[in-house]
Amino acid sequence: MTDRNGAARFGVLWALQYDRRPEDLPLLRFLLQEQATFYREAVPMGLAPDLTLAGFLVAEHRQVEDVWLHWTAKNISFDTALGYHLYHLLTGGIAATVEVVRASSHPERDRLLKDITPSRHTDTAVEEWLEEQRRIFPADPAEESLKTWAYHAARLGEREASRLFMTEWAAGGPRTDDTLNTLQFHLAHLGYLTEAVAVQKEAVAICQSPPESSLKASKLLQLVKLERQAGNFAGALQSLEAAGQALSAVPDWPWMGMWIAVVKEYFLLVPVAPDKNTSRRLLAEADEQLRGVPQKWLNGVIDPAITAAEHLNDTDKRSRYQSLQAAGRHQQDQQRSPGPAATS
């Protein structure tokens, strides 16, 4: 699904953050409604500033009649229910909001009344929340961090500006694991894969965990993915072999998911290997690792396995993988179906 007006809408919201006027409220309400529609139709999980900024700018006008608009935004998904703060609804005053909701015939009336009961919230707490939001969304552009500018530029489709902001932000402090992870993820998201690979190699190099550990393997697996996406087969394979070595002394449980990720990457490398002999060797390695893995762990790896077998016209392996896939679907269907009715 494509949001044709997403960047333009966020650009208007961003401008309104730095130029706040009383007459902006109708426009802000429209933008919040549009963001809520976008989330409801295209964002099954997650919550980003494109929605919370719109909600805050409406909430700052303190109009009790906006309570249902905020309630709509809050109840889009599990993540918005948790992340879109209830205090968006209460900036017009708790007592006044309760009165408006109580007088409403809205089908969610009783549910909302239970959530906003005055015994659970205070106007002072709402004011403190508003002050915190003003720090998160300052009215002065000079108070924004370089990282925030990077995220904003990315939402507006300004890839190169976003890259420059984020790299400058990262250069302003120590090269910690958190900093490198943020930088690598952002560069990869923007499509600067070569730079993302270099950052991830740095993260692997500074990892303080023992060579054979799940954390080291996790960082190497991320490097494998980036190398593969960047078209560097040799680098991806080298990192994948290192990831397998890092997991060699780690118990299968609770790290079975990471072992499956290693196997999946072997299958994913089969179609992009430089020659058939290398592809066959990778398929054989992945196939050996796949044997004995519990059925419940196979869902994420079966499709790449079938693709890899088809790439080499290996009908035996393809048939076996398809049988495993069918068995997995049958098992899921059985788990979803209700049990036999109880008899007296």
Side-chain angles (χ1 to χ4, degrees):
M1 199 173 241
T2 300
D3 182 7
R4 291 191 298 261
N5 298 312
R9 194 165 58 247
F10 184 77
V12 175
L13 275 172
W14 195 14
L16 290 168
Q17 177 185 338
Y18 304 133
D19 184 13
R20 305 179 192 183
R21 306 181 187 188
E23 60 266 31
D24 292 336
L25 182 55
L27 176 57
L28 289 168
R29 285 169 170 161
F30 170 76
L31 291 169
L32 177 55
Q33 185 67 61
E34 290 295 292
Q35 285 304 124
T37 299
F38 167 63
Y39 267 72
R40 185 170 56 252
E41 295 184 0
V43 186
M45 62 182 67
L47 176 63
D50 55 354
L51 183 63
T52 54
L53 171 58
F56 162 67
L57 292 175
V58 171
E60 203 175 29
H61 285 266
R62 299 170 174 272
Q63 300 299 304
V64 292
E65 59 264 37
D66 291 322
V67 62
W68 293 114
L69 177 56
H70 289 301
W71 184 245
T72 297
K74 182 173 179 60
N75 285 279
I76 298 167
S77 68
F78 177 81
D79 290 329
T80 60
L82 290 177
Y84 193 92
H85 206 292
L86 186 69
Y87 287 173
H88 284 93
L89 289 71
L90 301 176
T91 56
I94 294 176
T97 303
V98 169
E99 183 178 346
V100 165
V101 174
R102 187 172 284 136
S104 170
S105 59
H106 195 283
E108 294 280 293
R109 170 185 172 275
D110 292 341
R111 182 180 165 208
L112 178 51
L113 280 175
K114 183 178 179 181
D115 281 356
I116 64 174
T117 175
S119 62
R120 299 174 60 186
H121 312 286
T122 66
D123 287 322
T124 299
V126 175
E127 286 299 320
E128 291 173 350
W129 174 80
L130 264 177
E131 284 301 315
E132 179 186 2
Q133 296 307 295
R134 292 185 183 112
R135 289 190 292 271
I136 294 172
F137 302 115
D140 185 351
E143 296 179 16
E144 297 279 31
S145 72
L146 288 170
K147 184 163 70 169
T148 298
W149 285 105
Y151 290 143
H152 284 348
R155 292 188 183 97
L156 295 178
E158 299 288 345
R159 292 175 61 250
E160 179 61 13
S162 183
R163 181 186 73 84
L164 292 172
F165 280 129
M166 189 60 81
T167 52
E168 187 175 349
W169 166 80
R175 306 289 278 186
T176 64
D177 185 67
D178 286 343
T179 296
L180 293 174
N181 184 60
T182 299
L183 178 59
Q184 172 270 119
F185 181 84
H186 193 73
L187 290 171
H189 176 72
L190 293 174
Y192 294 98
L193 294 173
T194 300
E195 293 185 38
V197 165
V199 172
Q200 188 62 19
K201 285 182 177 180
E202 186 179 351
V204 170
I206 70 167
C207 181
Q208 297 298 313
S209 294
E212 295 181 350
S213 69
S214 59
L215 180 58
K216 178 73 78 172
S218 176
K219 292 186 179 301
L220 285 164
L221 277 170
Q222 182 61 27
L223 181 56
V224 173
K225 179 180 177 181
L226 291 170
E227 295 269 30
R228 174 171 51 78
Q229 292 173 339
N232 184 0
F233 173 83
L237 181 57
Q238 182 180 13
S239 298
L240 183 56
E241 291 172 344
Q245 181 62 36
L247 281 176
S248 62
V250 178
D252 287 351
W253 182 261
W255 307 111
M256 178 64 78
M258 201 171 295
W259 274 111
I260 292 298
V262 169
V263 178
K264 180 179 180 179
E265 287 295 338
Y266 270 106
F267 281 124
L268 289 172
L269 285 178
V270 169
V272 297
D275 55 74
K276 292 294 185 181
N277 286 336
T278 304
S279 291
R280 292 189 187 95
R281 180 172 66 83
L282 293 173
L283 181 59
E285 175 69 20
D287 186 71
E288 182 64 28
Q289 293 285 352
L290 196 64
R291 294 177 183 274
V293 173
Q295 179 71 52
K296 65 179 181 179
W297 289 98
L298 293 179
N299 288 344
V301 77
I302 285 297
D303 283 340
I306 293 173
T307 299
E310 289 176 343
H311 176 75
L312 290 171
N313 295 318
D314 192 324
T315 56
D316 290 340
K317 287 186 175 63
R318 182 186 62 186
S319 296
R320 182 155 49 83
Y321 298 154
Q322 289 173 335
S323 296
L324 288 171
Q325 186 179 59
R329 288 172 178 168
H330 178 68
Q331 189 177 78
Q332 289 179 342
D333 291 341
Q334 283 188 320
Q335 291 172 348
R336 282 194 293 262
S337 64
T343 57
S344 57

